[in-house]
Amino acid sequence: MIDIGTYELVDDKPASRRTIPAKWVLKVKYLVDGTLDKCKARQVLLGFNQTMGKDFHSTFAPMASFVNVRLVMSLAVSKGWPLMHADVPQAFLRSAMDIDTYIQLARGVSLRDKKTGKDPIADGGLSLLLKRAQYGLRQSPQLFNKDVNHYMVDVIHWTRAHNESSLYYKYNAETGSIMIALLEVDDFM
């Protein structure tokens, strides 16, 4: 996780900042016929240990209203439009943090060097500064939503609806076609 930029080892954690603990969430996935598909493990931060105003400022992330989900689905059916679903894999792990957040690794995880046998956190007094959001943080959905909005509006030039902030559309005047995307946490429709 250090190699992909999720955290960074630092030696200057302010004494006033606490570290957010983590735990493992384990899940077994099965195929339709009941046979084992895969076993998944995810490190989840215990965000209930965060303090408002210190560890985060806001948590609001817009979600599509049920009325608009039904509206988009009924439009697609009545007009014969293709309706697709897309899940953003590891969505919350992609967003950059906006506040310095220090974390503890989940039990059983160590950064111990195999050659020297030293752990930079336990033996060296270093801390882990979180660089990318993780599951369990209170602000993770909001950070992901900000990234999606930036990409949709500023990069690929879609329009965000004024009355439904999780609905985006792109109208092509030449062909008269319209594309609609509805965001629900980390799923697109």
Side-chain angles (χ1 to χ4, degrees):
M1 296 281 246
I2 290 176
D3 294 340
I4 61 172
T6 304
Y7 353 94
E8 178 183 320
L9 281 168
V10 295
D11 60 358
D12 57 350
K13 180 180 93 63
S16 62
R17 299 302 300 269
R18 78 169 99 173
T19 57
I20 308 296
K23 71 174 187 175
W24 285 110
V25 173
L26 307 172
K27 187 180 264 188
V28 178
K29 297 257 185 168
Y30 296 96
L31 297 173
V32 177
D33 64 0
T35 59
L36 178 68
D37 181 27
K38 58 186 160 187
C39 297
K40 295 175 75 173
R42 174 180 286 165
Q43 178 177 273
V44 176
L45 295 176
L46 304 179
F48 57 82
N49 289 305
Q50 291 181 279
T51 305
M52 175 82 161
K54 196 178 216 180
D55 299 318
F56 65 96
H57 295 300
S58 174
T59 61
F60 175 76
M63 291 191 38
S65 68
F66 186 65
V67 171
N68 284 325
V69 170
R70 289 183 60 190
L71 174 67
V72 169
M73 291 177 79
S74 65
L75 272 173
V77 169
S78 66
K79 302 278 188 188
W81 296 344
L83 189 61
M84 294 175 273
H85 170 266
D87 179 64
V88 179
Q90 302 170 349
F92 295 166
L93 304 179
R94 301 175 184 278
S95 303
M97 292 296 294
D98 58 351
I99 292 180
D100 285 348
T101 303
Y102 299 90
I103 67 165
Q104 297 171 9
L105 292 174
R107 189 174 46 185
V109 177
S110 172
L111 298 177
R112 190 168 305 282
D113 188 301
K114 291 178 183 177
K115 292 179 184 175
T116 65
K118 295 193 181 217
D119 184 328
I121 296 172
D123 303 331
L126 299 178
S127 300
L128 283 174
L129 174 63
L130 193 59
K131 302 302 274 180
R132 302 246 170 234
Q134 282 203 337
Y135 292 97
L137 285 180
R138 292 185 179 191
Q139 69 269 36
S140 290
Q142 182 185 55
L143 294 171
F144 174 69
N145 189 274
K146 283 180 182 178
D147 286 351
V148 167
N149 188 59
H150 167 72
Y151 179 77
M152 295 293 286
V153 174
D154 300 332
V155 177
I156 63 173
H157 308 293
W158 284 46
T159 303
R160 188 177 198 176
H162 296 290
N163 63 341
E164 174 71 75
S165 54
S166 61
L167 185 132
Y168 299 87
Y169 62 92
K170 185 162 188 142
Y171 177 71
N172 185 329
E174 293 175 12
T175 62
S177 64
I178 188 167
M179 291 186 290
I180 299 172
L182 199 56
L183 177 64
E184 181 73 26
V185 186
D186 66 343
D187 294 303
F188 276 99
M189 178 177 75

